Amino acid sequence: MQARPTSWLTRHPLPWLTLLALVVLGLGLGFRHPWPADEPRFALIAQEMLTTHHWLLPHRAGELYPDKPPVFMWSIALGLWVLKAFSVPGAERIAFLLPSLLGGVGTLALMTDLARRFYGPRIAWLAGLTLLSTVLFTLQAKTAQIDMWVTFFVTVGLYGLIRHILLGPDSRWWHLGFFAMGVGILTKGVGFLPLLMLPVWMIFLKTGSGHRTLTPLSLKLLGTGLLALLAPLLMWGIPMILYTSLGHAEPELAAYRDNILFKQTGQRYADSWHHLEPWYYYLVSVLPWAWLPLTLALPWTVPNAWRRLKRRDPRQWLPLGFVILMVIFFSLSPGKRGVYMTPATAMFVLAFAPALPALLRRPRLNQLVWGLVLVPGLLIGLIGIAGLSGLPVMARLEAEHGFAPWGWWTALGLLSVLIAHLIPSRRGLVAFGLWSVMFWGLWSTWGYKVMDPARSTQALMKQVVSMTSPDTTLALPDFDESMVLQARQPVVQFGYDTPEPDQLLALVAWLDQAPETRAALMNEKALDHLECPAPVTATRVPIADRHQWWLVRAVDVAGCRADATAAPVLTAPTTLPPTGDKATPPGPPATDGADTTPN
């Protein structure tokens, strides 16, 4: 007798979950531009790598970028190069999201495979669907921040360790896991996080628990693993140190070396200078929402997990121990961001995977999750209806944020009510899974279309080039990477870390050197900080935006204080054609700038 197709699907969760993840996480590719704060920066750096062929050290708008190692930017640049090689339309709008998409799919596949090897295909199915429904995981997989890409390398590291420790010995996976940690460190410094699993392993071996299932610790294998971790670091680190240290190294190169080696590693962890939060920040303000829906199930999962933990089941202790130690590790640092918890999400799901079948039968939990579908969805829908009705308070919110999501939110509310109506409360977890697919589908299509004009600067930079000319060189004091990314004319800036007063002094002198072919784009704050004997005249850019933008020419700042030596003048090597999306290096400035009419 032939097996039914559904039987094969049930017994082989990995390919089908991977396909589902590709659809859910990949929906919306090409629908939007990079959004601040982080996405335009990494997309711009990747484009500069392709334009200038400066692959060793990342540059941002013609200036060294010392805050992150280059692997994430290399990945975006590689995707952009491949897409352009095949003449894919909108390559720039696709490539910047590819690493996060692939990292999310890869992380889900690795976690699902571990769940299948530990507990069988049914629990693997449930674990994969739970991870795909987890808020932080899906959000980061659809966001071009660096965290999902480093999560993938952290997960490869964890997978390699677990394959050796619990399903081994397997030296190949062990060394591949350590090598992935090294690549993860070159992506973001926390790539070493899988090493937090080693103390849990050693405790099990020390106490005599798990000797029948755990591979013994070998100092030789630990040493060769650390060498595998060092290999990718040395492949980039040695050329970087030599390039920034030997010969007639410029001071900014030495500053880059010291920043990436020291400030962005130990100092960033021990003495953070931003995102300062209390020690309980993750427990109170992040994890309750970030790991939904599983956090709602903790009252029911903990008793099940406790029974397994008392039996000292290493399949649960190793991933759970890693999660606990990782939360403690980041809680000890004064600087905290919610995205730092992304690498722990898959192991959190894996740790509680054995309890998932029982959760499906818990009526109270299903009712609670069903309410999570209905109540927030209903509130969002009512807000959308209020916006469509033109209430003054909603009109003020629309003007403040620059977009009107009312139709999208109304549809989201109606569909939430429909899902809650069609799926009874006793199957609330099923309703939440369907709701998640619906939510992210609307977010990635209709939502992208609504939010993109306000969150990207494409419209602003198109308006600027139409008010000047493609040959007018534009200065961006205190620049935003999104503006440089969307610029359609030659762009200069005055150093990302240069104090604003020094930038403005250099700007006035720079405008005066070629008044017919140069202009500056400034906001009201920058205009107010110019040191001028008389009020500054400028031309307002007529575009709907939360900020007011002004075009400034040399005549507008005549008599203002100037100092050409106050700041460096750096030329961004990338720009877009006036009406296109393909990145090309700018040509030399022409001599006929477009005049503006002062206010």
Side-chain angles (χ1 to χ4, degrees):
M1 174 181 274
Q2 290 184 344
R4 292 179 299 175
T6 54
S7 175
W8 190 93
L9 185 149
T10 304
R11 288 185 288 108
H12 298 84
L14 187 57
W16 294 104
L17 280 170
T18 301
L19 180 61
L20 179 63
L22 279 171
V23 172
V24 174
L25 303 181
L27 186 63
L29 279 181
F31 281 42
R32 67 175 177 91
H33 296 84
W35 291 346
D38 296 333
E39 293 180 348
R41 179 183 313 130
F42 299 131
L44 176 65
I45 292 170
Q47 288 198 12
E48 289 196 28
M49 286 177 169
L50 285 176
T51 301
T52 64
H53 306 294
H54 290 162
W55 297 99
L56 184 63
L57 306 181
H59 286 71
R60 169 182 55 190
E63 182 181 21
L64 282 168
Y65 174 70
D67 289 0
K68 295 291 184 294
V71 165
F72 185 62
M73 288 75 85
W74 286 345
S75 305
I76 297 176
L78 176 61
L80 185 58
W81 177 78
V82 171
L83 292 173
K84 287 190 172 186
F86 287 94
S87 301
V88 176
E92 289 84 1
R93 296 193 304 273
I94 299 174
F96 79 99
L97 283 167
L98 282 180
S100 292
L101 167 63
L102 298 176
V105 173
T107 297
L108 183 138
L110 291 169
M111 191 279 300
T112 300
D113 186 64
L114 285 177
R116 179 185 63 83
R117 293 173 184 273
F118 285 172
Y119 309 114
R122 181 168 182 252
I123 290 181
W125 263 107
L126 295 177
L129 292 173
T130 301
L131 182 61
L132 191 58
S133 301
T134 302
V135 174
L136 180 62
F137 176 81
T138 305
L139 177 63
Q140 284 304 304
K142 299 179 78 67
T143 304
Q145 291 177 308
I146 205 167
D147 298 272
M148 184 50 74
W149 197 222
V150 75
T151 292
F152 170 69
F153 292 111
V154 168
T155 306
V156 175
L158 291 165
Y159 184 91
L161 266 61
I162 291 173
R163 284 292 299 266
H164 174 73
I165 296 171
L166 285 177
L167 302 172
D170 193 327
S171 61
R172 290 175 300 178
W173 274 112
W174 171 265
H175 290 104
L176 179 61
F178 273 85
F179 186 86
M181 291 183 223
V183 179
I185 293 172
L186 287 183
T187 304
K188 192 175 183 178
V190 296
F192 63 86
L193 285 172
L195 296 177
L196 294 176
M197 188 177 283
L198 298 184
V200 187
W201 177 30
M202 287 186 284
I203 290 173
F204 263 78
L205 295 175
K206 185 75 172 177
T207 58
S209 303
H211 271 302
R212 295 181 180 178
T213 57
L214 293 183
T215 302
L217 175 63
S218 165
L219 292 180
K220 177 181 178 181
L221 206 58
L222 179 61
T224 56
L226 293 175
L227 290 177
L229 183 152
L230 286 174
L233 299 180
L234 296 177
M235 282 189 275
W236 177 75
I238 291 177
M240 181 273 292
I241 292 173
L242 292 176
Y243 182 74
T244 56
S245 304
L246 299 182
H248 300 285
E250 300 174 2
E252 54 266 28
L253 293 176
Y256 173 91
R257 178 200 62 217
D258 296 341
N259 191 303
I260 201 70
L261 291 179
F262 305 111
K263 183 177 180 180
Q264 297 300 328
T265 52
Q267 183 179 347
R268 190 182 187 96
Y269 176 81
D271 189 20
S272 299
W273 52 93
H274 57 177
H275 304 300
L276 302 179
E277 301 289 350
W279 66 268
Y280 51 82
Y281 172 71
Y282 292 116
L283 298 176
V284 175
S285 302
V286 176
L287 298 182
W289 67 262
W291 287 350
L292 283 171
L294 198 51
T295 48
L296 282 180
L298 286 179
W300 293 273
T301 56
V302 168
N304 179 290
W306 180 244
R307 287 192 294 271
R308 287 179 170 270
L309 291 172
K310 286 195 297 184
R311 295 200 300 265
R312 305 184 70 83
D313 187 344
R315 296 174 300 176
Q316 194 157 30
W317 266 111
L318 259 66
L320 184 59
F322 166 78
V323 171
I324 293 172
L325 290 176
M326 183 178 147
V327 173
I328 293 173
F329 174 80
F330 281 111
S331 296
L332 292 176
S333 173
K336 301 175 181 67
R337 295 181 66 191
V339 294
Y340 293 172
M341 290 294 104
T342 310
T345 306
M347 291 298 107
F348 180 71
V349 173
L350 181 63
F352 292 103
L356 294 177
L359 293 179
L360 292 175
R361 300 188 297 269
R362 295 285 185 179
R364 295 293 185 188
L365 173 62
N366 276 278
Q367 291 167 5
L368 182 62
V369 176
W370 185 83
L372 187 64
V373 171
L374 177 62
V375 176
L378 188 60
L379 289 176
I380 293 173
L382 291 175
I383 294 172
I385 293 172
L388 291 176
S389 66
L391 292 179
V393 64
M394 311 309 291
R396 289 196 295 270
L397 287 173
E398 180 180 335
E400 179 182 351
H401 294 282
F403 62 91
W406 316 130
W408 160 35
W409 286 10
T410 301
L412 178 62
L414 292 175
L415 289 173
S416 299
V417 172
L418 180 62
I419 290 172
H421 173 72
L422 294 177
I423 301 179
S425 61
R426 68 177 182 274
R427 303 185 66 194
L429 289 167
V430 176
F432 186 85
L434 182 59
W435 183 88
S436 296
V437 173
M438 180 274 295
F439 175 84
W440 292 114
L442 286 181
W443 171 280
S444 306
T445 51
W446 197 344
Y448 282 0
K449 182 179 179 181
V450 169
M451 293 186 290
D452 192 54
R455 297 201 63 182
S456 76
T457 58
Q458 182 192 37
L460 172 64
M461 302 314 289
K462 281 185 175 180
Q463 184 66 31
V464 167
V465 76
S466 70
M467 294 175 65
T468 54
S469 80
D471 298 322
T472 299
T473 304
L474 184 69
L476 297 175
D478 197 19
F479 75 96
D480 185 294
E481 292 98 344
S482 180
M483 293 180 179
V484 183
L485 184 68
Q486 297 294 341
R488 284 159 166 77
Q489 57 202 113
V491 165
V492 301
Q493 52 100 359
F494 303 96
Y496 187 82
D497 293 321
T498 303
E500 185 185 49
D502 294 338
Q503 291 194 43
L504 297 179
L505 291 174
L507 168 66
V508 175
W510 177 83
L511 288 172
D512 193 53
Q513 291 168 3
E516 298 300 321
T517 60
R518 295 179 177 180
L521 180 63
M522 305 174 67
N523 56 32
E524 286 190 325
K525 175 186 173 183
L527 286 176
D528 292 339
H529 289 174
L530 285 168
E531 299 183 35
C532 304
V536 174
T537 58
T539 303
R540 183 175 176 181
V541 180
I543 189 169
D545 192 272
R546 286 176 294 174
H547 306 287
Q548 293 183 359
W549 296 99
W550 303 83
L551 276 174
V552 178
R553 299 276 193 169
V555 65
D556 300 319
V557 292
C560 294
R561 188 180 170 206
D563 183 357
T565 64
V569 179
L570 303 165
T571 302
T574 59
T575 189
L576 296 169
T579 58
D581 288 327
K582 184 177 180 181
T584 56
T591 57
D592 53 340
D595 292 330
T596 57
T597 303
N599 287 345

